Amino acid sequence: MSKANSTSTRQREEEDEQGSAHGAAGEQLSTAPREERPDTGAGVPAMSVIGWARWFWRQLTSMRVALILLFLLSLGAIPGSLIPQTSVDDMKVQAFKEQHTTLTPIYEALQLFDVYSSVWFSAIYILLFVSLIGCIVPRTGQFVGQLRSRPPGAPKRLTRLPAYTTWRTEAEPEEVRAAALAMLRGRRFRGHEAGDAVAAEKGYLREAGNLVFHIALIVMLIAFASGQLFKSEGGKLVVEGDGFSNTLTQYDDFKSGSLYDSDSLAPFSFVLDDFVGTYEKSGPQRGTPRTFEARVTYAEGADGAERKGVIKVNEPLVVDGTKVYLIAHGYAPVVTVRDGTGKVVSKSAVPLLPIDNNITSSGAIKVMDGYKDKNGKKTQLGFKAFFVPTFAGHGKGQMFSQFPALDFPVLALSAYQGSLGVDSGLAQNVYQLDTSKMKEFKDKDGELLKKMLMPGEKLDLPDGAGSITYEGTEEWASFQISQQPGNGWALGGAVAAIAGLAGSLFIQRRRVWVRAVRGADGVTVVEMAGLGRSESAKLPEELGDLSAALVTTVPVAPEKPDAADTPDGSAATDATNEAGSRPVHPAEAPAEGAEK
């Protein structure tokens, strides 16, 4: 009974020793900085300021904290997607504030209308940046050191490693080691002879991929930051026949990063020659665009040669690093306004904004200068406009377009006179008519003067006040002109991050040792063992393949009835397979001390 207990205790001690050996050998495969654990015994003095600073730095540069910061950065970006941002659309922010008077003070205190430039988001961003750098620098140094060094020599007892096989051969030990080194190098292992064994290692791309992934994250952070600081973005609505020059005064709206210099606008110009839009005429996809493109003539630089180009959705025109995107399309009725004497005071194409997918449009026509009433007094005219490119016809429902193409255009107008409010110096929406200081023109029934016009028809103002004629319809296109210097770096960083992550997940770092020594009977004993950075079912399989390849060069010796002892003192039958014709597969190798 006592002998059995002694044997059981000895086996547990050997298993503990074996686990410790595996852990120590496994740690040598890692390039992660080792965390220093202070002694927790009694009498340990309190840490100084420098000690606390080192502790804080170790925590900040740990992978755990880096993942937490990355998670917080993702959470912090959610409000920026759900809440209108001042940097994107100030008008939506103002509308949100008017509708949510209770939430507005809270959101303003938390800087939720400017998430990406807020103090808390910037703090998370900078801490993540520092954490990644602090994590990468020491690991890179250790990884470079491992690349420059040789794989460590073989452990004393290879049988304790998780993957192990052995056989006997009549070849000389030197021949076995030479053959093993050549075979391992042919399998892209880094190897060398160390004493009576060959040490080889493979899978450095795992740690290289890990480093590439983290470096790519830093590149992406820098790219996103530079893109926000140095970007410029503006919009411009252009009617057919009109053009645009890339200067600040030409934009309808313009936003830029805090470090952007308006003098760095790329010099170019373009003219919208024609907008081509065709639509599906029948079936469930009726009204869906089939052709949607803007044909332009553009010139790079102040005196550049003119070239033809086509701008499509997601196919921008790229000029000197600036991209011109096609983002919207609509119609601009051409109207002519005359005063009471028949003099033309205004003739222009007036863009109207679509309100549905069939391009039903609304807007305002404003005559600010040149008009005089019947008494010769200068005044201003305003018309509320409602346009449909395809009218259903009188008595066929509400006045909404039935199709986006220009098949049956109708323009509905209602007329006002007075002050448009443009002389006050305050900004005004060109697509809305402020009638607070204007009077309605009345028809013969005393109602607001309004009329539906087809091309060529006109609306006569009462008491000889003039007229407005609907001449025809032009098309317009809206463009977004953007300059974001960090996009290329961000894309490259994203691709590198995916490649690095794939390498760190699917490549295993492992070491293989081949020991060849002469036994007491003069027959060479070959031992092979492998160790991976993490547990993997493929390591024994790979070791089996390597041993099978080596056996073709150094074949298994025939089984002898009286086998001599092995070099470590155990019976030769313990190190030789039972079949005697092949090496023991790593999964079949008996553990040390097991009963035969």
Side-chain angles (χ1 to χ4, degrees), residues 476-504:
W476 60 259
S478 181
F479 301 93
Q480 177 180 294
I481 300 95
S482 63
Q483 195 173 16
Q484 292 184 330
N487 282 356
W489 285 98
L491 177 60
V495 173
I498 294 174
L501 185 61
S504 65

Side-chain angles (χ1 to χ4, degrees), residues 170-178 193 196 516-519 522 524-525:
E170 294 180 348
E172 296 295 326
E174 294 79 8
E175 296 178 6
V176 175
R177 290 193 289 268
E193 287 194 40
D196 60 357
V517 295
R518 192 181 302 278
T524 301
V525 178

Side-chain angles (χ1 to χ4, degrees), residues 18 21-22 25-26 29 152-155 157-167 184 189 198-202 508-515 527-547 584-587 589:
Q18 181 178 356
H22 291 173
L29 290 174
R157 296 191 178 185
L158 295 179
T159 55
R160 292 182 174 179
L161 298 182
Y164 173 82
T165 185
T166 181
W167 72 95
L184 289 171
F189 279 83
V198 172
E201 189 170 7
K202 191 177 182 180
Q508 184 187 17
R509 181 90 171 270
R510 63 271 196 200
R511 288 172 180 165
V512 173
W513 293 276
V514 181
R515 174 174 284 143
E527 292 181 286
M528 290 187 69
L531 176 65
R533 180 174 180 177
S534 58
E535 294 294 334
S536 173
K538 294 184 178 180
L539 181 61
E541 296 178 4
E542 184 178 24
L543 190 67
D545 294 338
L546 292 175
S547 63
V584 179
H585 193 277

Side-chain angles (χ1 to χ4, degrees), residues 315-398:
E315 295 183 18
L317 173 68
V318 182
V319 183
D320 194 14
T322 302
K323 294 183 179 181
V324 182
Y325 293 90
L326 174 65
I327 59 174
H329 157 259
Y331 295 105
V334 180
V335 295
T336 301
V337 179
R338 295 178 174 83
D339 61 13
T341 64
K343 176 184 175 181
V344 176
V345 295
S346 175
K347 184 176 182 179
S348 62
V350 182
L352 304 179
L353 296 183
I355 60 175
D356 62 17
N357 293 332
N358 287 326
I359 319 185
T360 303
S361 308
S362 66
I365 301 172
K366 301 178 182 181
V367 180
M368 294 176 284
D369 298 310
Y371 177 79
K372 296 181 180 179
D373 60 15
K374 62 180 181 179
N375 299 321
K377 182 180 178 181
K378 291 185 178 181
T379 186
Q380 296 174 332
L381 297 179
F383 301 89
K384 288 184 178 181
F386 195 85
F387 176 79
V388 290
T390 301
F391 183 47
H394 294 284
K396 295 184 179 180
Q398 297 178 344

Side-chain angles (χ1 to χ4, degrees), residues 222-251:
I222 295 175
F224 291 147
S226 63
Q228 291 296 319
L229 294 174
F230 297 98
K231 74 173 183 178
S232 68
E233 186 176 276
K236 179 64 177 179
L237 186 149
V238 183
V239 180
E240 288 177 332
D242 292 343
F244 168 79
S245 180
N246 193 29
T247 58
L248 200 58
T249 56
Q250 289 278 302
Y251 284 91

